[in-house]
Amino acid sequence: MNKRYSGMLTGALLLIAGLATAQEQPSLRNRADELYNRYEYANAAKLYTKLVDTRKPRLQDLERLADSYWKMNDYESAENWYTRIVQQPNSSPENLLRYGEVLKMNGKYAEAKKQLEAYANETGNAPSVAVQIAGCDSALLWMSSPTRYRLQNEAAVNTVNAEFSAFPVGNQVYYTGEPTGESSGNTYGWTGNAFLRMYTAPISPEGNLGAPSFADSDLNSGEFHVGPVAVDENSKTWYVTRTYTGKEGKQQKAEGRKYRTQLLELYSYQLKNGVWISEPFPYNNVKEYSVGHAALSADASILYFASDMPGGHGGTDIWYCERQADGTWGGPVNAGPTINSAGDELFPGIGPDGTLYYSTDGFAGMGGLDIFRSIGSKNQWSNPENLKYPINSASDDFAYLVYGEDENGFRGFLASDRQGGKGNDDIYSFSFANPKIIIILKGTTSDKATGERLPAATVTLYNGERKIEARQQSSGEGTFEFVLDRNREYAVLGQKEGYHADSAKVTTLGITKSDTLEVALLLEPVFRVGQTFELENIYYDFDKYNIRPDAAMILDELVRTLRDNPTLKIELSSHTDSRGSHAYNETLSQRRAQSAVDYLVSRGIARDRMVAKGYGETQLVNRCADGVACSSAEHQANRRTEVTVLEY
């Protein structure tokens, strides 16, 4: 089952029995393993991070730490740890597979393909990764030539947690989200966040969402997850996915302990005399499988849903029931092998024209879950078509819904945890319309030192909000080309291993007819032994050495550099200004340098690749020594964090 929505289809895992007695004091590893087995990955990761901070960490601890981040959808952290894991002498081929998968989730398709091919070579099981490799090839092509969809993050409803599955009802949208702050309630150990609840938000004539509020309390009743929802055309019957809250859940054992899995079920709700009346879907079976993610045909005669019930083609399939003459639902029927795969199919939705949209990881795609469409009904469908980039991304893309359509195009909503969002899963509105003028950006990538063209440089086009519009490799002649929109600001970034990146700003503001713009990117070679460079904007609170959130963002860039250059070893040094005693400044700077190194270790960098050094005020960059009157800006120049290349 897909690693992240298996969490939603599981709902919750409860420890109901164990072999340990109350007198036993479990070790740090035992506590970490128990949390891991209970799907409490957020809490388990904290303990595994402590366990692996040693010269020779246990491979299983590293694997479970990486897997915890994978299942929490923190793919960047997962990549950091898998980078280390595959370098371990006793690492299994399965780690190459997972490393390739996480690289793919992070949009590193060329690197992902290498790892997946290495897995195929080591195991001889090329067919098992054929779809993944095809997805890497397709993603590179689709990102180099995006479709004409335009996406907008619905910032009014999105938070640092998850929001997804927007469903319009009149002039409101109902969606599913993780509560934040004082309203968060109980916590789901899988993510470390609150259990899902249903929200409502107003929708403007332009299709944008306003300030949200909790949906009716009767709809939100439940100890665990509640949502998503689907509503019939007359808004009379609501179909809500929720986690079963009773004691009849599926039981399993792990490492001597017994757990109960709380699976998902569907409920229908009808508002009668101001009171919501609920009724369980007749084919729920919480002891055996989950049922959820309902979608209705236009005439409400067919109910589609996702389930891992027996008789499917993979993990989770699309199924359907037909409404009978007496208004009840007939038995579940699998929607067939054309749209269902050996992977997971989730979040079905029916468009105004009857088109089925759904997400799957079982066909060639860009990331984890990709959005596909198919024409047909019941169990007769056309071959699924990937909606390509930018509807799909390197991350999980799902809950696609079209709700407005005219002669100029159409619009709707989808959910994604792609980079550049506000938090975890975010709701995006989308529109599709053909352009009336065409603006082309042509460019080159070159070595700054020699002037020679650089082929195979990664060139990324960002919009004014620093979100990826397109990405491609420069050609064998070091050239690239993108199509731009009118009245927008862009930045184009060139990157290549062994070189500093270069970027340029591009604008189409004021352009009123088709045109061609040009740009040249000059990349400078990097990493000479003895080279020192400053990490700009690393600030500490007065007299403190803890890593602030703004400093963590800068250090994360260093994490990526170290991760992508595994032979690089560095000295990370901290410097103070001359105010205060020499001894005090040396001690403070050493603590600050050590805190920075500790942070890098927590993000997956081996400690033996870094040296923390505090120089205090011994290496001032200006005249501001003891007794010299200087401005605040001059003193600030001396308070800096630097990196020196020791080995490469």
Side-chain angles (χ1 to χ4, degrees), residues 13-24:
L13 193 75
L14 306 178
L15 176 64
I16 57 178
L19 299 180
T21 67
Q23 285 74 32
E24 292 176 349

Side-chain angles (χ1 to χ4, degrees), residues 2-156:
N2 183 280
K3 81 289 170 204
R4 61 197 307 263
Y5 289 102
S6 58
M8 290 184 185
L9 287 173
T10 297
L13 193 75
L14 306 178
L15 176 64
I16 57 178
L19 299 180
T21 67
Q23 285 74 32
E24 292 176 349
Q25 296 298 318
S27 67
L28 183 65
R29 180 168 289 105
N30 288 340
R31 285 186 284 141
D33 290 343
E34 180 177 329
L35 290 167
Y36 180 85
N37 288 327
R38 290 169 58 179
Y39 300 168
E40 295 191 26
Y41 300 114
N43 297 323
K46 297 175 184 177
L47 302 188
Y48 284 126
T49 299
K50 295 179 180 179
L51 288 168
V52 301
D53 187 8
T54 178
R55 288 186 62 85
K56 293 183 178 180
R58 288 191 184 184
L59 179 60
Q60 180 174 281
D61 292 340
L62 287 167
E63 290 171 335
R64 289 190 167 188
L65 176 56
D67 188 56
S68 294
Y69 280 116
W70 169 267
K71 290 192 168 80
M72 289 190 291
N73 317 325
D74 186 347
Y75 308 121
E76 179 126 5
S77 294
E79 180 186 341
N80 295 342
W81 292 107
Y82 279 116
T83 301
R84 285 184 62 181
I85 289 169
V86 297
Q87 296 171 15
Q88 301 295 310
N90 55 340
S91 178
S92 72
E94 292 302 314
N95 289 324
L96 290 173
L97 173 61
R98 185 55 64 87
Y99 185 35
E101 290 173 337
V102 79
L103 285 167
K104 186 166 178 272
M105 294 294 291
N106 285 332
K108 298 181 177 180
Y109 297 111
E111 298 93 327
K113 184 177 178 180
K114 291 179 182 177
Q115 299 301 324
L116 295 170
E117 289 175 337
Y119 168 81
N121 291 333
E122 285 200 22
T123 63
N125 191 9
S128 67
V129 291
V131 169
Q132 294 261 42
I133 291 173
C136 291
D137 292 334
S138 296
L140 291 169
L141 177 64
W142 295 335
M143 288 197 74
S144 68
S145 183
T147 64
R148 302 307 299 178
Y149 279 94
R150 289 293 168 258
L151 273 64
Q152 178 177 322
N153 187 290
E154 290 298 322

Side-chain angles (χ1 to χ4, degrees), residues 293-367:
H293 305 173
L296 287 162
S297 62
D299 61 0
S301 66
I302 305 173
L303 178 69
Y304 296 95
F305 57 91
S307 177
D308 58 344
M309 67 175 61
H313 298 274
T316 305
D317 278 16
I318 306 299
W319 297 73
Y320 70 93
C321 293
E322 294 186 74
R323 192 181 296 279
Q324 305 301 295
D326 61 359
T328 62
W329 291 110
V333 180
N334 190 278
T338 302
I339 62 170
N340 288 315
S341 71
D344 293 310
E345 283 69 48
L346 298 161
F347 296 98
I350 304 298
D353 61 353
T355 299
L356 169 68
Y357 299 94
Y358 69 106
S359 290
T360 177
D361 62 3
F363 300 111
M366 298 186 65

